[in-house]
Amino acid sequence: MLIPSLIVHGGAGDMPIAEHADYLAGCRVAFEAGWRLLERGESALNAVEAAVRSMEDNPIFDAGVGSVLNSEGEIELDAMIMDGAQLDLGAVAAVRGIANPITLARRIMEDSGHNMLVGSGARQYAARIGMRLCSQAELTVPREVARFREYQKTTVKKQQQLADGHDTVGAVAIDRFGNIAAATSTGGMAFKLPGRVGDSPLVGSGAYADNLTGGASATGHGEFIMRVLLSKTATDAVGSGMTAQEAAEHAIAVLKRRVNGKAGIIVVDQQGRVGFAHNTPHMAVAWRSPISGEVQVYLQPDAAQIQE
Amino acid sequence: MLIPSLIVHGGAGDMPIAEHADYLAGCRVAFEAGWRLLERGESALNAVEAAVRSMEDNPIFDAGVGSVLNSEGEIELDAMIMDGAQLDLGAVAAVRGIANPITLARRIMEDSGHNMLVGSGARQYAARIGMRLCSQAELTVPREVARFREYQKTTVKKQQQLADGHDTVGAVAIDRFGNIAAATSTGGMAFKLPGRVGDSPLVGSGAYADNLTGGASATGHGEFIMRVLLSKTATDAVGSGMTAQEAAEHAIAVLKRRVNGKAGIIVVDQQGRVGFAHNTPHMAVAWRSPISGEVQVYLQPDAAQIQE
């Protein structure tokens, strides 16, 4: 029996100082939601789903409730979950009116006979399996409405600055049986075109999990992350003998060198070690110290982390 | 200046003997359409787009005109194109009423600011850039209507057999400047759920191209291909020193060993060598012999290939 391990992230980007404490508190709560399950012997898959659901339900993050609006003022969500035992995966993209797309992704993996459903087909599947559909209004928070109004009345150049910030959420775990799982969920980029899909729901880009190597979940500018398959790059690095931390740093270095992208990544290796790296100003992360058993949180380099 | 190189495929699966000659003729015509451009100095990107467009326009293949119908009798198309020079890519998934999705994928890559658009958003983007939208009727051939009627009146078990056959098309090229490109296009699995996305439009799964290693395009059962990122597995193998042929065989061996999947793959390496491998009964392929300069075609192991 292994000691289980879990790490969660709440996005990487330039996060407003006023919101730092909320990011860290949200990551801590999500970590606890997943850890509780791992501690009582549940699977890594259940743990990452629970951690990500917690962040989807928390309006501070760009996932589920609180997601960014697209160029038409609509919310379209992407998510994927992967089970490293069989390399099974489920993914959903550009789906509207689903509060917990990570759970829809899991149902797609387990019950649909397919791995990925998108757009109106994904929503139709959710309805067919009895998942509650919600209105856009239920997912929309005042912060994002205000941001969208700002976007509508500004110049194209300023619009690009407003669109910055990628608060995708994710979790990676290994359970006591050595099964590794990873999950990622996002509202994507603010003011994206309708139907735009970023890295989050793409296997090997937004997440990957393989019991023989490790698991990873990425966050950042998706158009760059997917060009180097950031999560698969990280788990392959674990497979070549790197620790989780070395693999996370390696993946970000590859991203920087090959496509000059900006992102963050969390990694768990086969031995249950966790690691993370980012080349953005901030990245919100929570994990558990294997020595003290205490939950650790992180937001930026060279700064004492805010304790709520 | 390098001698350019191109290889195309018209799917891998169990192809009816009566159609073998049409598959090979279609691959040959597609090869010629791409090769003509490479010969006069055009880019690998132009060549793979032209080759794939030729197969999208040919009703024998499951791409563009002649695509399979989904469980509701609709056609939804997936495609991706990748430029190995910058690792740029464009992809489209579950789009309706577009005759040449590979060209839409290229426009997304070059003009949208995004890499991937899906569903109604992808169609909306096509309309916005002035691409001709077509009716489902224009893409639908009698063969697939008959197959769908058969599907509707049969048992679930028989339905799965009817759904077999994955005639995705693809092309990989290197031009005289050493730029590598790959493209893949498909109507997906017959009788798939609306919104289902297979490996074809997913970066690293259905295709990958990197000037520093090689290019690849995959075909087969997408739900398995994506679990091992078959195309990235092949180009990584080239990067580790394998020839295109060794890398193709390696990728199919990984697919078989890790997830027991069935597929075919074509590969071009940095030296312009081509290779392909499959573990399906048939795979339709065309390339050019570097020795004789003649177009070669292939459909099944240990059989003289049909010459039209």
Side-chain angles (χ1 to χ4, degrees):
Chain A
M1 292 286 194
L2 291 168
I3 296 171
S5 189
L6 172 69
I7 181 166
V8 308
H9 73 78
D14 195 351
M15 294 161 174
I17 291 174
E19 294 173 4
H20 286 188
D22 287 343
Y23 276 106
L24 292 174
C27 285
R28 185 184 289 269
V29 168
F31 177 87
E32 299 286 7
W35 184 250
R36 201 175 302 133
L37 304 185
L38 284 176
E39 261 195 321
R40 65 177 193 227
E42 289 195 34
S43 68
L45 205 59
N46 285 355
V48 296
E49 183 189 356
V52 166
R53 278 182 71 103
S54 166
M55 292 187 280
E56 286 175 338
D57 292 343
N58 184 334
I60 189 75
F61 301 112
D62 177 21
V65 175
S67 285
V68 299
L69 309 188
N70 72 12
S71 64
E72 297 189 337
E74 302 282 338
I75 289 176
E76 292 188 333
L77 302 172
D78 303 337
M80 79 162 273
I81 191 164
M82 187 159 182
D83 177 356
Q86 307 288 338
L87 304 179
D88 273 342
L89 69 107
V92 64
V95 69
R96 297 187 179 192
I98 299 290
N100 291 112
I102 198 66
T103 296
L104 178 55
R106 184 163 178 185
R107 293 294 303 274
I108 289 168
M109 172 172 85
E110 293 178 343
D111 302 328
S112 75
H114 295 315
N115 291 351
M116 186 174 197
L117 297 177
V118 303
S120 57
R123 186 173 158 90
Q124 192 180 321
Y125 183 75
R128 197 217 279 192
I129 61 171
M131 187 168 280
R132 194 178 78 85
L133 305 182
C134 68
S135 65
Q136 294 280 120
E138 279 181 73
L139 302 175
T140 307
V141 297
R143 176 191 71 226
E144 297 303 330
V145 174
R147 204 166 155 207
F148 182 70
R149 292 208 175 118
E150 191 68 22
Y151 162 82
Q152 283 182 305
K153 58 184 189 211
T154 194
T155 61
V156 171
K157 195 183 166 189
K158 183 84 196 303
Q159 281 182 355
Q160 282 161 356
Q161 292 166 9
L162 283 173
D164 204 34
H166 313 279
D167 308 333
T168 297
V169 305
V172 186
I174 185 167
D175 60 31
R176 57 171 72 172
F177 306 105
N179 288 314
I180 297 172
T184 304
S185 182
T186 190
M189 280 173 82
F191 323 129
K192 64 188 180 184
L193 291 175
R196 178 264 188 182
V197 176
D199 64 296
S200 301
L202 304 188
V203 54
S205 295
Y208 200 73
D210 181 351
N211 280 8
L212 301 190
T213 57
S217 168
T219 171
H221 195 151
E223 274 71 7
F224 294 86
I225 290 172
M226 68 173 85
R227 288 155 70 187
V228 298
L229 294 151
L230 196 66
S231 292
K232 183 64 155 56
T233 296
T235 59
D236 282 353
V238 170
S240 77
M242 290 188 196
T243 65
Q245 182 57 32
E246 289 165 348
E249 290 170 12
H250 168 77
I252 296 297
V254 168
L255 178 79
K256 173 78 183 154
R257 186 174 73 242
R258 293 306 308 277
V259 296
N260 198 27
K262 286 196 181 300
I265 193 164
I266 56 174
V267 181
V268 171
D269 65 30
Q270 240 189 335
Q271 283 76 48
R273 291 172 296 208
V274 302
F276 64 90
H278 62 108
N279 62 351
T280 51
H282 310 115
M283 179 177 185
V285 189
W287 71 100
R288 178 178 166 275
S289 162
I291 299 152
S292 70
E294 295 295 309
V295 182
Q296 312 289 305
V297 294
Y298 168 96
L299 200 126
Q300 59 186 311
D302 307 312
Q305 303 309 322
I306 297 152
Q307 301 292 326
E308 75 278 21
Chain B
M1 291 286 196
L2 291 167
I3 296 169
S5 189
L6 171 68
I7 181 167
V8 308
H9 72 78
D14 195 352
M15 295 159 173
I17 290 175
E19 295 173 3
H20 286 190
D22 287 343
Y23 276 105
L24 291 174
C27 285
R28 185 183 289 268
V29 168
F31 177 88
E32 299 285 8
W35 183 251
R36 202 175 301 132
L37 304 185
L38 283 175
E39 261 195 321
R40 65 179 192 226
E42 290 195 34
S43 68
L45 205 58
N46 285 355
V48 296
E49 183 188 357
V52 166
R53 278 181 70 103
S54 166
M55 291 187 280
E56 286 175 339
D57 293 342
N58 184 334
I60 188 73
F61 301 112
D62 177 20
V65 175
S67 285
V68 298
L69 309 187
N70 71 11
S71 63
E72 297 189 337
E74 301 283 338
I75 289 176
E76 292 188 333
L77 302 172
D78 303 336
M80 81 162 273
I81 191 164
M82 187 159 183
D83 177 356
Q86 308 288 338
L87 304 179
D88 273 342
L89 69 107
V92 64
V95 69
R96 296 187 179 191
I98 299 291
N100 292 111
I102 198 66
T103 295
L104 178 54
R106 183 163 179 185
R107 292 294 303 273
I108 290 168
M109 171 172 85
E110 291 178 345
D111 302 327
S112 75
H114 295 313
N115 290 352
M116 186 175 197
L117 297 177
V118 303
S120 58
R123 186 172 157 90
Q124 190 180 322
Y125 182 76
R128 196 217 279 192
I129 62 172
M131 189 169 279
R132 194 178 77 85
L133 306 182
C134 68
S135 65
Q136 295 281 119
E138 279 181 73
L139 302 175
T140 308
V141 296
R143 176 190 70 226
E144 297 303 330
V145 174
R147 204 167 156 205
F148 181 70
R149 293 210 174 116
E150 191 69 23
Y151 162 82
Q152 284 182 303
K153 57 182 188 211
T154 196
T155 61
V156 170
K157 196 183 164 189
K158 184 83 195 301
Q159 281 183 354
Q160 282 162 355
Q161 292 165 8
L162 282 172
D164 204 34
H166 313 278
D167 308 333
T168 298
V169 306
V172 186
I174 184 167
D175 61 31
R176 59 172 72 173
F177 307 104
N179 288 313
I180 298 172
T184 304
S185 182
T186 191
M189 280 174 83
F191 322 129
K192 64 188 180 183
L193 292 175
R196 178 265 188 181
V197 177
D199 64 296
S200 302
L202 303 187
V203 53
S205 295
Y208 200 73
D210 181 351
N211 281 6
L212 301 190
T213 57
S217 169
T219 171
H221 195 151
E223 275 70 9
F224 294 86
I225 290 172
M226 67 174 85
R227 287 155 69 186
V228 298
L229 294 151
L230 195 67
S231 291
K232 183 64 156 55
T233 296
T235 60
D236 282 352
V238 170
S240 77
M242 290 188 196
T243 66
Q245 182 57 33
E246 290 164 349
E249 290 170 11
H250 168 78
I252 295 297
V254 168
L255 178 79
K256 174 78 183 153
R257 186 174 73 241
R258 294 305 308 277
V259 296
N260 198 27
K262 285 195 181 300
I265 192 163
I266 56 174
V267 181
V268 171
D269 65 29
Q270 241 189 334
Q271 283 76 49
R273 291 171 295 207
V274 304
F276 64 91
H278 63 107
N279 61 351
T280 51
H282 310 115
M283 179 176 186
V285 189
W287 71 101
R288 178 180 166 275
S289 162
I291 298 151
S292 69
E294 294 295 308
V295 182
Q296 311 290 304
V297 295
Y298 168 96
L299 199 126
Q300 59 187 311
D302 308 313
Q305 302 309 322
I306 299 152
Q307 300 293 325
E308 74 276 25

